[in-house]
Amino acid sequence: MCEDLGFEKLLGEEGFFARLLGRSPSGGGREPLYGPDLPVVLLTGGPGMGKARLLRTVRDRFAAKVPVIYLDCGSPVYADRAEPEPDARSAATELLVEAARRLSTWQGTGGSFAFPRLFAGLAVIATGVAEGTPEAVATEVERYADLPQRQRLGGLAAGDFWRGVLGGAARNLLTTLAGQTLDPYSASVSTALIDALFAGLAPRGKAELTRIYGAYPNAADQPEHGLRDLAADFRAGGQGRELAESFLFRALREDLEAAYASASGWLRRVGRPALLLDRADTPLGERLLRAVLDDRRNGRRDRVVIVGTARRADGGAFLYEGLPPREVPAPAEFRPADGVPAAWTRRTGADGDRGPLAGGVLLLRMPYLTGDQLRRETERRQRSAEPEGGAHRRRVDAAVARLSGGRPHTVIRLAEAVAAFRMEADANDRDILDAPLRSPGDGGPEQPVADVLLKELVLDQLPVRLPAEHRDQWLDLLTHLSVAHDEECADVLLRHHQSGRVHRLTAHNVAQLLTDTGWPACERHFIGDFGLRQLLVHRLYRLRPDGAAWYADHHLLRDHYTGWPEGARGGAFRSVVAHRMNHHLVSGGVDDVVGHLAATLPGRPAEWCAELLEIAQAPYPGGADARRQRAEGRVEVAGPALRRTVDQLLHAVWLCEERTRPTGRETAGTLEKLLNLLSIMEFDGAGQLGRTATDWSGLAENEQPLLRCTCTEQLGRRR
């Protein structure tokens, strides 16, 4: 699959990123979008939507022409590097150091960057090393020795900065204190280091550090006080550390800004530098985003392009600062198909105040693949395998389209798995989930593509706020919840499958975690993403031999709704009876459901049709599937004509509503025939079913759902 598939309009010579960065992939200059007030761009979309793929492609396309750095905020490497000195380092400082080091070796137009401002802050927090001796502090400071030096910069001489700190004065001063008895956070060490930082600087360099660190909260334009407070806040942890980290991020951006704003930078540098923050919805990523958004909201402008990823559709709850999103002006947004957004303006609060952080964001909605893109991908994969006829390819294309919903990563894996997979014309789409696939990158044995996808989309992308005690059962809980429709029946399943555990998740907890992870919601299905639900349903049936786990969960829910008052609402259903019958239908109670439907049709055709659709909107269990034969009357069923016709109609509707088989003209004709048969029978209201026959057959012929809900409507739009 081409890395830019689905992103062509974003990555082209005149595309969004060329305009945002001020330079095209081929090196041509472009009139920059926005500025001097830049939005933070957040790529939004759930697992498998290609956010990381887009960031990496932007890096690969543009990094040779303009400084673009890709950083993974979800990587454990930064916390691992910070662990040896927890009072002198953090995951945030290690990420900032990583960014600075990469930029300090950039070889494009204008050359590499130096980071003396960032270096000053890192040097003072180095006084928090565990031993606290001058030698230990000097050793820690040496970790950053490559950051402040490069060429001499106008106003702030990087060479002087280097010599003043480690080449002479600072190291000498620290060494002279080595024989003294000092506590781990000695003010003497800190004072000596700060004095050394300023000792070798030219006047303009001192003025620059005064401007930056004199602006630290409560420093009162005294940079020495600001640096000491920065170190103290960092050691204090909590909100103090977050303040110090945000200030260090500001210092890094100030260094980049200085490289462009100086006389030499203005002549030599083009475009805008960029930090691409993958998995920015992790705590580390959110801290960095909060820092830059707060600075820009307060009027501190810089030209650094910040692009992050967020799985939540609204960009993340932290953007709204505790306010209900409905009470906050929605962030600006666009989709790749829209081309380049014409304008962006910072959104303020309702009363004209600064407003929440969301006002400084531009959401870029990650695109689903179109039907043409999806077909090209599956066709490309199949060409490398044994050639199949056009009918088979169309069947495979349809199955991949329905199960993936156009989610790019799912398309990639399914297309690869089915390249050599033979699929019968009347097979269930879920059959392709058993197609073998070697998990990419691990060189291990082949395994069903369903297992690969569940690992990559669920296990490798756990919700950030999922409590540690639930991580071992998250996939199992979602698997059982694949048969739930609403929070009521989800809670029934959760209580059963978490029995014996001290800490338990409620349906509300799980729904919130799914939202945080970027999975969409649906009013009729607790697992609101059609493709994810099919993966989980497939796994549930195979969790225990002969589908025992499947039947147990449906029986649990059927029994839960047994004995309720007949007129009671059934959550996502019109009635508790329909809810009960839905679970009874898919767990072996077909004949009972047919009897119920046949008995309740006379006198209430409109209500009956609505109930029929709700009952039949259910997945089919694994194993042999005789629904089509039964719908067409090729399976002998006992009873009067009304019951036999209702039996056939139920199975025809079930085929249409499950959405994992082609229906088309044959099923449409069957629906129309059966409803017309019912419409001429001798019972009250029968004639009303003629219009239903026309409506339903038209929908079925065009592969449209008979009962619409959010996930089936989205599925239809992505075909």
Side-chain angles (χ1 to χ4, degrees):
M1 183 176 186
C2 299
E3 285 300 300
D4 62 352
L5 181 57
F7 304 145
E8 295 88 348
K9 287 189 176 182
L10 295 172
L11 298 167
E13 291 288 305
E14 303 293 337
F16 172 71
F17 283 102
R19 295 285 308 281
L20 186 64
L21 297 170
R23 207 169 194 198
S24 72
S26 64
R30 294 293 179 268
E31 183 66 26
L33 280 174
Y34 321 124
D37 187 10
L38 282 177
V40 167
V41 178
L42 290 182
L43 315 181
T44 63
M49 288 303 298
K51 301 180 296 299
R53 179 168 62 91
L54 177 55
L55 287 188
R56 291 192 297 266
T57 306
V58 170
R59 175 199 61 193
D60 295 343
R61 291 284 185 89
F62 291 90
K65 306 300 181 183
V66 67
V68 174
I69 304 300
Y70 171 91
L71 299 159
D72 183 0
C73 299
S75 172
V77 66
Y78 304 116
D80 291 344
R81 291 175 185 171
E83 186 178 8
E85 291 291 351
D87 288 328
R89 310 174 196 169
S90 70
T93 64
E94 293 303 301
L95 183 142
L96 295 177
V97 170
E98 174 88 7
R101 284 198 172 117
R102 293 189 194 177
L103 289 164
S104 69
T105 60
W106 190 68
Q107 298 301 311
T109 303
S112 60
F113 296 81
F115 296 91
R117 298 160 182 80
L118 174 63
F119 175 80
L122 293 171
V124 294
I125 67 170
T127 58
V129 292
E131 291 186 20
T133 64
E135 292 87 348
V137 172
T139 299
E140 183 70 8
V141 172
E142 284 177 349
R143 295 181 70 237
Y144 315 120
D146 54 333
L147 299 184
Q149 60 175 344
R150 190 181 66 85
Q151 71 272 13
R152 296 175 64 87
L153 298 177
L156 187 56
D160 290 345
F161 214 109
W162 163 254
R163 288 193 297 272
V165 175
L166 293 180
R171 193 166 188 83
N172 292 335
L173 283 169
L174 292 173
T175 302
T176 61
L177 295 172
Q180 301 181 27
T181 302
L182 301 172
D183 64 64
Y185 307 126
S186 170
S188 300
V189 177
S190 177
T191 299
L193 179 58
I194 291 172
D195 289 344
L197 287 173
F198 283 88
L201 286 177
R204 289 183 63 186
K206 292 178 181 178
E208 185 67 3
L209 285 192
T210 297
R211 180 185 68 81
I212 294 172
Y213 289 101
Y216 195 82
N218 301 316
D221 294 326
Q222 300 296 313
E224 297 88 348
H225 294 170
L227 285 164
R228 289 194 188 94
D229 290 347
L230 173 77
D233 286 342
F234 188 86
R235 289 193 298 269
Q239 291 184 345
R241 172 165 290 198
E242 289 186 19
L243 173 62
E245 291 169 341
S246 68
F247 210 86
L248 291 172
F249 190 19
R250 183 190 303 176
L252 181 145
R253 300 196 312 277
E254 292 264 11
D255 280 321
L256 289 173
E257 183 67 19
Y260 280 83
S262 67
S264 61
W266 184 82
L267 291 172
R268 299 172 59 190
R269 298 192 183 277
V270 295
R272 290 169 172 158
L275 299 180
L276 311 179
L277 304 179
D278 195 10
R279 294 197 279 182
D281 53 359
T282 60
L284 171 57
E286 284 192 1
R287 288 201 299 275
L288 295 173
L289 293 180
R290 184 181 289 110
V292 67
L293 285 167
D294 191 51
D295 275 350
R296 292 178 179 177
R297 179 174 61 179
N298 290 325
R300 296 186 181 91
R301 310 300 187 217
D302 62 77
R303 74 187 70 205
V304 182
V305 170
I306 306 292
V307 183
T309 65
R311 290 179 291 181
R312 276 182 62 124
D314 61 7
F318 80 99
L319 294 174
Y320 305 90
E321 298 180 299
L323 296 173
R326 63 182 178 276
E327 296 181 9
V328 176
E333 65 173 76
F334 79 105
R335 298 177 185 274
D338 300 335
V340 177
W344 176 85
T345 303
R346 181 173 298 277
R347 302 193 178 189
T348 59
D351 298 326
D353 59 6
R354 300 186 313 163
L357 297 177
V361 167
L362 175 62
L363 301 179
L364 196 170
R365 304 292 191 192
M366 297 301 291
Y368 291 91
L369 297 185
T370 65
D372 288 341
Q373 290 170 330
L374 190 150
R375 281 187 289 274
R376 286 199 299 271
E377 177 62 13
T378 54
E379 183 178 358
R380 182 176 69 85
R381 300 275 182 179
Q382 288 188 328
R383 283 176 177 169
S384 63
E386 292 186 16
E388 295 281 0
H392 176 262
R393 186 170 66 247
R394 287 192 296 272
R395 181 67 188 94
V396 167
D397 287 350
V400 172
R402 279 191 286 264
L403 290 185
S404 69
R407 192 172 294 270
H409 186 80
T410 308
V411 171
I412 295 170
R413 294 290 181 252
L414 290 178
E416 183 178 357
V418 301
F421 186 78
R422 181 68 196 176
M423 189 175 189
E424 299 301 326
D426 195 39
N428 191 297
D429 293 348
R430 288 196 300 271
D431 291 349
I432 70 174
L433 297 178
D434 287 322
L437 179 68
R438 181 166 284 108
S439 186
D442 63 8
E446 290 183 333
Q447 53 185 315
V449 64
D451 294 346
V452 175
L453 284 169
L454 285 171
K455 177 182 181 299
E456 293 175 335
L457 298 180
V458 178
L459 294 177
D460 291 348
Q461 301 205 45
L462 295 174
V464 171
R465 292 171 178 81
L466 177 66
E469 59 268 20
H470 296 295
R471 292 182 180 178
D472 65 326
Q473 64 165 173
W474 180 244
L475 178 57
D476 283 341
L477 290 180
L478 294 187
T479 299
H480 292 294
L481 290 172
S482 65
V483 303
H485 297 94
D486 50 47
E487 289 196 4
E488 165 68 27
C489 58
D491 270 325
V492 172
L493 291 163
L494 286 169
R495 285 193 294 269
H496 177 76
H497 291 290
Q498 294 180 108
S499 61
R501 284 183 174 251
V502 175
H503 301 286
R504 302 180 187 180
L505 293 170
T506 66
H508 175 75
N509 299 148
V510 175
Q512 188 61 55
L513 291 168
L514 289 170
T515 297
D516 289 346
T517 315
W519 293 110
C522 176
E523 68 277 14
R524 291 191 174 276
H525 301 92
F526 186 79
I527 302 294
D529 182 83
F530 183 85
L532 174 63
R533 190 166 68 250
Q534 299 307 314
L535 285 168
L536 295 169
V537 163
H538 181 81
R539 181 174 185 265
L540 177 62
Y541 191 81
R542 287 154 179 76
L543 206 57
R544 288 163 53 190
D546 300 320
W550 164 287
Y551 290 109
D553 282 341
H554 281 292
H555 289 162
L556 179 69
L557 292 172
R558 177 201 63 190
D559 295 345
H560 173 76
Y561 290 107
T562 299
W564 286 42
E566 288 296 312
R569 287 282 301 176
F573 291 75
R574 298 168 62 87
S575 70
V576 71
V577 173
H579 201 160
R580 180 174 72 247
M581 288 294 172
N582 173 278
H583 293 290
H584 196 32
L585 173 68
V586 296
S587 59
V590 174
D591 291 338
D592 290 341
V593 173
V594 171
H596 165 77
L597 289 170
T600 56
L601 170 56
R604 49 189 298 271
E607 296 87 344
W608 184 86
C609 286
E611 185 177 78
L612 169 61
L613 294 181
E614 290 185 335
I615 292 172
Q617 193 182 52
Y620 191 80
D625 185 356
R627 284 179 298 173
R628 192 177 299 278
Q629 293 90 327
R630 197 156 170 171
E632 294 171 354
R634 290 184 280 142
V635 175
E636 186 174 347
V637 176
L642 176 61
R643 181 185 174 98
R644 294 197 307 272
T645 308
V646 167
D647 184 288
Q648 289 179 246
L649 180 62
L650 169 63
H651 286 85
V653 171
W654 194 358
L655 280 170
C656 293
E657 289 302 271
E658 189 191 17
R659 314 294 297 150
T660 58
R661 284 180 185 275
T663 51
R665 293 181 180 176
E666 286 189 8
T667 308
T670 300
L671 276 176
E672 187 170 28
K673 171 186 172 183
L674 295 171
L675 284 164
N676 282 331
L677 280 175
L678 288 174
S679 73
I680 59 175
M681 289 186 179
E682 297 295 330
F683 61 82
D684 187 20
Q688 298 177 35
L689 295 175
R691 180 177 293 277
T692 304
T694 301
D695 294 342
W696 286 10
S697 62
L699 291 169
E701 185 170 351
N702 290 281
E703 301 281 354
Q704 295 293 326
L706 306 183
L707 178 61
R708 311 185 81 81
C709 63
T710 299
C711 68
T712 57
E713 289 223 0
Q714 290 174 343
L715 187 65
R717 287 197 295 268
R718 296 169 194 157
R719 288 175 58 231

